[in-house]
Amino acid sequence: MKGLELSQKYYEAYGRQMIRGQFPEIADQAAVGLVGYGSECLGFDDEISTDHDYGPSFCIWLPREVYIKHGKGMQAAYDALPKEFMGFAGRVEEEQGKGRVGALCLEDFYLEILGRDSVPETAEEWLAVSEAALATATNGAVFEDPCGKFTAVREGLLSYYPREVWLKKLAESLAKAAQAGQYNYARAMKRGERVAAEIALTEFVKEAMQTVYLLNKKYAPFYKWMHRGMKELAVCSEIGDMLALLYQVPDPAAAWEGVSPTDYLYHLNTDDGRVLVVEAVCNVLVQTLNEMGLSDRQDNFLQNHVGEILGKI
């Protein structure tokens, strides 16, 4: 059973009655759900995930003034709930996983993840928060929120970046993808710098995925889950499978043997299968930029589309 489903069933079986029965005076101030760190909050948990920070559990978010008065009592009541549920053992927490469930201060929850307890207002404030943090603060599910305070922040974040910020981030990711995959990879291979080439390829993969999330207007999660999460996206989801091909291409070293410093300055080394995959990914991105009206250019070099996008701010 997925962690989110287990969490909701556990709350419905024990948590709701605990809150309403033992804390009737603040029950309407308690938001409940499972949001934050952990694969279960993304819905990506599997058998491997059950070795730590997994088990029947849920979050109770209380506004600070309520948490100060009732947080300890609420946590004690939460701790007294049955540990085993539906055949699942109680949650086993690692040291860094403590304090992620149970009674939590609403404002501190967002403050810890985002570095602020409210929705960013200016472009500078939005850019100061990492995208992975925004994904962490808006994943999972809210089961109940009678007062609406937790959900108000959540919905403000889910409304996504202002257009100016979105375009800036999109332009930045395209530029980085072009620099790494379409420029520096080939230069490193010509020099025989295999470590640098592998780093360039990895940077391209990361920035290509980042671009796909931006085109979907969805926050990219922590790097470990970026590729897995692409399966859920509506736009350019096929790029996930294309990027996976990069790690199946046979060692391309032979394709660069005997290459001089001036070779492949203005055309591609199509003997390297990785180059072909990179260009195929870029082609899909360019077509999507055209379809979305973000660029009128047709050429495959992503850097040449950056100015088009920035010009729309």
Side-chain angles (χ1 to χ4, degrees), residues 37-38 52-53 91 93-100 112:
Y37 300 102
H52 69 283
D53 302 332
R91 181 181 174 98
E93 295 181 337
E94 292 188 340
E95 186 63 31
Q96 62 267 34
K98 292 182 178 180
R100 294 180 179 178
E112 178 187 343

Side-chain angles (χ1 to χ4, degrees), residues 93-135:
E93 295 181 337
E94 292 188 340
E95 186 63 31
Q96 62 267 34
K98 292 182 178 180
R100 294 180 179 178
V101 295
L104 305 170
C105 174
L106 186 157
E107 291 84 355
D108 287 348
F109 173 83
Y110 284 115
L111 185 63
E112 178 187 343
I113 297 173
L114 304 173
R116 57 184 300 120
D117 60 9
S118 60
V119 179
E121 296 181 2
T122 67
E124 291 74 18
E125 289 176 348
W126 276 103
L127 290 169
V129 183
S130 77
E131 195 160 341
L134 289 165

Side-chain angles (χ1 to χ4, degrees), residues 20-136:
R20 295 180 181 179
Q22 298 183 43
F23 303 92
E25 71 279 17
I26 60 166
D28 63 349
Q29 295 290 305
V32 182
L34 187 66
V35 179
Y37 300 102
S39 58
E40 69 275 11
C41 295
L42 291 165
F44 298 160
D45 51 313
D46 53 22
E47 290 184 2
I48 296 175
S49 308
T50 60
D51 66 337
H52 69 283
D53 302 332
Y54 181 88
S57 56
F58 54 86
C59 304
I60 308 167
W61 298 285
L62 302 171
R64 179 171 284 115
E65 64 276 11
V66 178
Y67 180 80
I68 290 172
K69 294 180 180 179
H70 302 280
K72 288 184 178 180
M74 184 78 78
Q75 183 64 45
Y78 175 88
D79 290 338
L81 295 177
K83 299 296 184 292
E84 295 186 5
F85 178 67
M86 296 185 67
F88 293 91
R91 181 181 174 98
V92 177
E93 295 181 337
E94 292 188 340
E95 186 63 31
Q96 62 267 34
K98 292 182 178 180
R100 294 180 179 178
V101 295
L104 305 170
C105 174
L106 186 157
E107 291 84 355
D108 287 348
F109 173 83
Y110 284 115
L111 185 63
E112 178 187 343
I113 297 173
L114 304 173
R116 57 184 300 120
D117 60 9
S118 60
V119 179
E121 296 181 2
T122 67
E124 291 74 18
E125 289 176 348
W126 276 103
L127 290 169
V129 183
S130 77
E131 195 160 341
L134 289 165
T136 300

Side-chain angles (χ1 to χ4, degrees), residues 10-268:
Y10 184 59
Y11 167 67
E12 291 172 351
Y14 298 111
R16 181 182 288 121
Q17 180 55 40
M18 179 270 286
I19 294 173
R20 295 180 181 179
Q22 298 183 43
F23 303 92
E25 71 279 17
I26 60 166
D28 63 349
Q29 295 290 305
V32 182
L34 187 66
V35 179
Y37 300 102
S39 58
E40 69 275 11
C41 295
L42 291 165
F44 298 160
D45 51 313
D46 53 22
E47 290 184 2
I48 296 175
S49 308
T50 60
D51 66 337
H52 69 283
D53 302 332
Y54 181 88
S57 56
F58 54 86
C59 304
I60 308 167
W61 298 285
L62 302 171
R64 179 171 284 115
E65 64 276 11
V66 178
Y67 180 80
I68 290 172
K69 294 180 180 179
H70 302 280
K72 288 184 178 180
M74 184 78 78
Q75 183 64 45
Y78 175 88
D79 290 338
L81 295 177
K83 299 296 184 292
E84 295 186 5
F85 178 67
M86 296 185 67
F88 293 91
R91 181 181 174 98
V92 177
E93 295 181 337
E94 292 188 340
E95 186 63 31
Q96 62 267 34
K98 292 182 178 180
R100 294 180 179 178
V101 295
L104 305 170
C105 174
L106 186 157
E107 291 84 355
D108 287 348
F109 173 83
Y110 284 115
L111 185 63
E112 178 187 343
I113 297 173
L114 304 173
R116 57 184 300 120
D117 60 9
S118 60
V119 179
E121 296 181 2
T122 67
E124 291 74 18
E125 289 176 348
W126 276 103
L127 290 169
V129 183
S130 77
E131 195 160 341
L134 289 165
T136 300
T138 56
N139 63 22
V142 178
F143 308 148
E144 291 189 20
D145 185 9
C147 73
K149 291 182 180 179
F150 183 86
T151 305
V153 178
R154 180 180 175 86
E155 291 181 348
L157 297 171
L158 285 171
S159 66
Y160 206 63
Y161 295 118
R163 181 173 173 79
E164 173 189 359
V165 174
W166 176 59
L167 291 172
K168 284 183 178 180
K169 288 183 68 68
L170 182 59
E172 180 182 18
S173 282
L174 287 168
K176 288 181 176 179
Q179 184 75 5
Q182 295 181 288
Y183 183 74
N184 279 328
Y185 172 74
R187 294 171 73 85
M189 289 299 289
K190 284 199 290 185
R191 291 188 172 107
E193 294 281 355
R194 290 301 301 273
V195 173
E198 294 299 324
I199 292 173
L201 193 69
T202 299
E203 285 296 304
F204 171 77
V205 170
K206 184 184 75 172
E207 295 301 333
M209 291 192 295
Q210 184 79 40
T211 299
V212 172
Y213 277 92
L214 286 163
L215 291 172
N216 281 271
K217 294 189 174 181
K218 184 176 178 63
Y219 300 124
F222 180 58
Y223 76 87
K224 183 171 69 171
W225 299 115
M226 286 180 71
H227 187 260
R228 166 64 180 81
M230 291 180 72
K231 296 177 181 179
E232 317 294 331
L233 303 179
V235 179
C236 294
S237 61
E238 70 271 25
I239 285 180
D241 291 334
M242 296 169 72
L243 292 173
L245 293 175
L246 285 171
Y247 301 96
Q248 301 173 28
V249 173
D251 189 342
W256 298 92
E257 290 179 359
V259 172
S260 75
T262 57
D263 287 339
Y264 305 119
L265 291 179
Y266 304 107
H267 61 283
L268 305 173

